[in-house]
Amino acid sequence: MKTSDRNPPIVCLSSSEADTIAIARVTANFFVQGDLCALMGDLGMGKSVFARAVIHTIMGYDLNVPSPTYTLVQTYEGKRFPLMHFDLYRLENSEDVIELGWQDRSHALALVEWPEKLDTMYPAICWEVIFQMNQEVREITISPPPGFEERYCELKQKLLGLCGGNT
C-alpha cells in the first residue's frame, strides 16, 4: 500500500499506559468484522497494551488477555464478531502464518503485532498503527485504509478530543 493512497494519519501522543489504553478503546469502536489492524513499533512501545485494550473493548468486559508471543495467535469470540490476535515476533517464515489460521481472519477482526514478518503476505488494505518514541512521549500514528473515509472522519473527531488537538 502506498502511503499516498491513505488518508492523512491521525497522530496521538501517549505519556502513559492509561493514555494508550484510552486511545485504543476509542479506536476499537471503529473496527468492524473483517478489518485487519497492523501494530508496528519496537519492543516495549505499547503494541500489546493497545491490543489488549481493543480486545477488552470489543469483548465488552475485562478478561485475561495473554500475549500470543509463544502461541503466535489467540482467538476470542466477541459479542459482535470474533477477534484474532497475532504476535508474529517469533515467526520464522512468512508462509508459516497459514498454519495459524491466516485465511480464516476475514470473519474476524485481526490484530497483528510484528506484521512486517508477513513479507509479501502483508495485506494491501489494513489499518496501520505505528508506535514510536518522540522525546519522552509515545507517538501513536493511526492510518485507516483508503475507502474508510466515513470511519476515518469520525475516528479523527473522537481522538481529537481525547488527544487534546494533537491529531
Side-chain angles (χ1 to χ4, degrees), residues 1-18:
M1 169 77 43
K2 294 186 309 189
T3 305
S4 61
D5 291 342
R6 292 186 171 276
N7 291 304
I10 302 167
V11 180
C12 290
L13 301 180
S14 171
S15 58
S16 67
E17 187 172 305

Side-chain angles (χ1 to χ4, degrees), residues 17-124:
E17 187 172 305
D19 287 350
T20 299
I21 290 169
I23 294 164
R25 286 188 179 271
V26 168
T27 305
N29 290 311
F30 291 86
F31 292 137
V32 298
Q33 184 175 16
D35 280 351
L36 186 140
C37 179
L39 303 168
M40 298 176 276
D42 292 336
L43 286 169
M45 285 289 106
K47 296 181 300 295
S48 293
V49 169
F50 190 95
R52 280 187 190 100
V54 167
I55 292 165
H56 288 156
T57 301
I58 292 181
M59 294 297 291
Y61 61 93
D62 288 347
L63 70 156
N64 182 32
V65 178
S67 173
T69 300
Y70 294 101
T71 58
L72 303 180
V73 65
Q74 292 284 343
T75 303
Y76 303 90
E77 289 301 321
K79 290 180 180 180
R80 297 182 299 156
F81 46 80
L83 291 93
M84 298 176 81
H85 180 196
F86 293 87
D87 184 333
L88 305 180
Y89 183 74
R90 296 180 55 243
L91 193 71
E92 292 183 24
N93 182 338
S94 62
E95 286 80 31
D96 291 345
V97 76
I98 293 168
E99 295 175 27
L100 303 174
W102 187 248
Q103 284 85 327
D104 299 333
R105 73 184 192 288
S106 63
H107 74 286
L109 164 64
L111 302 171
V112 184
E113 296 184 54
W114 303 100
E116 57 274 14
K117 295 277 195 149
L118 291 169
D119 196 30
T120 60
M121 296 180 76
Y122 190 91

